Amino acid sequence: MEARIDKWLWAARIFKTRSIAADACKNGRVSINGTTAKPSRTVKEGDTISVKKAPVVYSFRILRPIEQRVGARLLPEIYENVTDPQQYELLEMSRISGFIDRARGTGRPTKKERRALDAFTAPTLFGFDDTGEGWDE
């Protein structure tokens, strides 16, 4: 039994939509047994698929080629995850060092915070404006 790679990636829930899976194939982010794959390439049982999702390269061994989407509970029957553990460490390091889940108040101020800072630092002349009216010269 064989299946198209873009359909299999969608059916195995590697990508959310089939068009996203096809775009990944077209852009060279999917390889089958070490060679880049077009969306129409067929896969069979035992093939190893590598998918680049920055910054990690996931690897899967096909146990059953399917073209119809299945429930998440059936995924262990569809593929085996053979991704190198170092890739997951790389993912964790990028999460720690990146701007993901930035604590509020760190980094660049929001628009509201900037306006509050401007109001705080702006010189106040106690009811007088900057035209100079009201000053003895």
Side-chain angles (χ1 to χ4, degrees):
M1 186 175 171
E2 293 183 343
R4 284 176 54 118
I5 184 65
D6 60 342
K7 285 186 179 182
W8 187 86
L9 289 169
W10 166 76
R13 298 176 180 266
I14 308 298
F15 289 102
K16 189 174 182 178
T17 65
R18 184 175 163 200
S19 62
I20 295 172
D23 287 341
C25 293
K26 288 175 189 172
N27 293 328
R29 293 192 297 264
V30 176
S31 63
I32 302 170
N33 298 327
T35 59
T36 58
K38 292 182 179 179
S40 62
R41 170 96 184 266
T42 58
V43 293
K44 58 185 180 301
E45 186 177 331
D47 284 346
T48 302
I49 297 177
S50 298
V51 179
K52 295 176 191 166
K53 287 185 176 182
V56 180
V57 178
Y58 297 97
S59 299
F60 307 100
R61 183 174 300 117
I62 297 178
L63 301 177
R64 199 171 90 202
I66 58 170
E67 288 191 349
Q68 297 293 317
R69 199 164 173 107
V70 296
R73 290 184 180 180
L74 299 176
L75 290 181
E77 301 170 7
I78 306 302
Y79 66 83
E80 178 186 358
N81 191 348
V82 292
T83 305
D84 187 23
Q86 291 178 349
Q87 295 292 325
Y88 289 112
E89 291 174 13
L90 181 66
L91 180 64
E92 189 62 30
M93 290 302 292
S94 69
R95 277 194 186 135
I96 291 170
S97 66
F99 289 102
I100 301 170
D101 298 329
R102 177 178 66 89
R104 185 157 179 84
T106 60
R108 193 170 167 181
T110 64
K111 195 172 195 178
K112 183 177 180 181
E113 292 169 342
R114 183 185 52 80
R115 287 181 177 160
L117 283 170
D118 289 345
F120 179 74
T121 59
T124 307
L125 297 176
F126 303 105
F128 298 103
D129 57 2
D130 290 337
T131 60
E133 295 177 10
W135 289 94
D136 291 335
E137 294 180 10

